């Protein structure tokens, strides 16, 4: 096996001190469960139930539609306020993960949340977005054609003056929350419990995929692959900003692109 592939599949252990004290280990496990419960954990449960409901429906899966950004109120300004509230909640999720890492003794630069390599992080984000985003779109179209994915509408927001800014903000908030919690926080804490690099990244990727189950099999597989690639890349480079940037770019293209092209491209729902 080539050395590069071996290092990718079996990387060197992360230099994180393992917690040996049983009482401290229990507290870390409890902390992880609480964080996941108040952030993405319940989303995973709701997502699985949503998929089950869709499968039990007499309507074929690929004829059902889910919206990623839908109106939350009839009054325009109230809708805007609710959209901003949702984005703020996501920012809070990511901030919680970062704060708990600080409380655990980790400087933010230890997980790649520093400003020492902005150009490298930006280039890495663009390359990673293309690597994940383009095949991901193809996977979605194939899964929908096979009838194992619902029809995804990235946005159903009305064409208002604030639609594009809110969609961009939503994309950035998604990238910040998911990558800080699922990669920077979760993998670091699991490493402190003595979990191997492969076990940690697989757990993170499976959890990421599970809260996208409402999109069907295509969404699950696509996000599983994304989680595996993002998690392993972070383990090897320790650059979390690159992952946040890539996730943001992917979502901006999906959200804003759909808003601008809907009705003009035949294969868009």
């Amino acid at each position: 096996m080539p050395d590069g592939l071996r290092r990718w599949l079996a990387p060197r252990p992360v230099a994180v001190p393992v917690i040996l004290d049983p009482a401290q280990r229990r507290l870390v496990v409890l902390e992880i469960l609480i964080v996941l419960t108040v952030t993405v954990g319940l989303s995973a449960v709701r997502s699985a139930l949503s998929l089950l409901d869709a499968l039990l429906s007499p309507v074929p899966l690929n004829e059902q539609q889910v919206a990623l950004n839908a109106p939350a109120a009839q009054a325009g300004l109230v809708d805007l306020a609710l959209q901003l509230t949702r984005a703020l909640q996501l920012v809070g999720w990511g901030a919680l993960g970062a704060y708990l890492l600080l409380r655990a003794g980790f400087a933010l630069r230890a997980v790649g949340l520093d400003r020492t390599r902005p150009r490298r992080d930006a280039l890495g984000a663009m390359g990673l977005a293309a690597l994940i985003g383009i095949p991901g779109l193809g996977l979605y179209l194939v899964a929908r054609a096979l009838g194992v994915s619902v029809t995804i509408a990235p946005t159903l927001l009305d064409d208002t003056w604030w639609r594009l800014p809110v969609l961009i903000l939503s994309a950035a908030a998604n990238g910040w929350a998911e990558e800080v919690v699922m990669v920077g926080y979760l993998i670091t804490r699991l490493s402190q419990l003595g979990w191997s690099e492969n076990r940690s990244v697989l757990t993170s990727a499976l959890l990421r995929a599970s809260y996208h189950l409402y999109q069907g099999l295509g969404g699950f597989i696509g996000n599983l692959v994304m989680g595996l690639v993002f998690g392993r890349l972070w383990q090897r480079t320790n650059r979390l900003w690159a992952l946040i940037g890539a996730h943001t770019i992917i979502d901006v293209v999906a959200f804003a692109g759909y808003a601008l092209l809907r009705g003009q491209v035949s294969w868009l729902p």
Side-chain angles (χ1 to χ4, degrees):
M1 180 184 297
D3 289 341
L5 180 59
R6 185 184 300 110
R7 287 195 297 270
W8 181 265
L9 295 177
R12 295 177 181 177
V14 179
V16 173
V18 176
I19 298 173
L20 300 177
D21 180 70
Q24 290 187 11
R25 290 177 64 87
R26 286 193 294 270
L27 286 175
V28 171
V29 171
L30 179 61
E31 178 192 285
I32 292 172
L33 292 176
I34 292 173
V35 170
L36 295 181
T37 299
V38 301
T39 58
V40 300
L42 291 181
S43 295
V45 175
R46 287 194 297 266
S47 186
L49 292 174
S50 176
L51 176 61
L52 177 61
D53 183 58
L55 292 173
L56 294 175
S57 171
V59 180
L61 195 62
N62 60 349
E63 294 181 14
Q64 300 180 45
Q65 184 182 81
V66 296
L68 305 186
N69 294 277
Q74 294 183 356
L77 291 181
V78 176
D79 191 11
L80 171 60
L82 288 171
Q83 300 296 333
L84 294 176
T85 300
R86 176 184 175 276
L88 182 60
Q89 181 183 43
L90 292 171
V91 172
W93 288 1
L96 174 63
Y99 171 76
L100 290 174
L101 286 177
L102 285 172
R103 287 296 301 259
F106 293 93
L108 293 184
R109 64 177 178 274
V111 296
L113 282 176
D114 56 74
R115 295 176 290 178
T116 59
R117 304 176 184 177
R119 184 173 181 273
R120 183 176 178 180
D121 287 340
L123 292 174
M126 289 186 285
L128 190 56
L131 176 67
I132 296 296
I134 296 174
L137 176 60
L139 176 63
Y140 160 70
L141 294 175
V142 170
R144 183 167 175 264
L146 293 175
V148 295
S149 176
V150 298
T151 298
I152 300 173
T155 178
L156 294 180
L157 296 178
D158 295 333
D159 187 10
T160 60
W161 62 268
W162 52 261
R163 179 177 63 172
L164 286 180
V166 162
L167 290 175
I168 293 171
L169 179 61
S170 177
N174 281 334
W176 163 258
E178 289 194 45
E179 303 315 324
V180 172
V181 173
M182 298 307 303
V183 177
Y185 169 79
L186 182 58
I187 294 180
T188 297
R189 290 308 247 171
L190 291 178
S191 297
Q192 285 189 287
L193 295 176
W195 287 35
S196 69
E197 281 63 38
N198 286 342
R199 185 183 178 192
S200 299
V201 77
L202 179 60
T203 299
S204 173
L206 284 171
L207 183 56
R208 183 194 297 259
S210 68
Y211 59 77
H212 288 91
L213 272 170
Y214 68 93
Q215 299 176 7
L217 182 61
F220 179 86
I221 294 176
N223 281 279
L224 177 63
V225 173
M226 179 177 176
L228 291 172
V229 173
F230 274 33
R232 181 50 45 87
L233 191 63
W234 177 77
Q235 288 175 331
R236 296 200 60 187
T237 66
N238 200 41
R239 301 306 303 168
L240 197 57
W241 278 126
L243 305 188
I244 295 170
H247 193 141
T248 299
I249 293 171
I250 291 171
D251 282 3
V252 166
V253 172
F255 298 168
Y258 182 87
L260 295 173
L261 296 177
R262 185 185 181 191
Q264 302 182 40
V265 180
S266 60
W267 49 268
L268 284 178

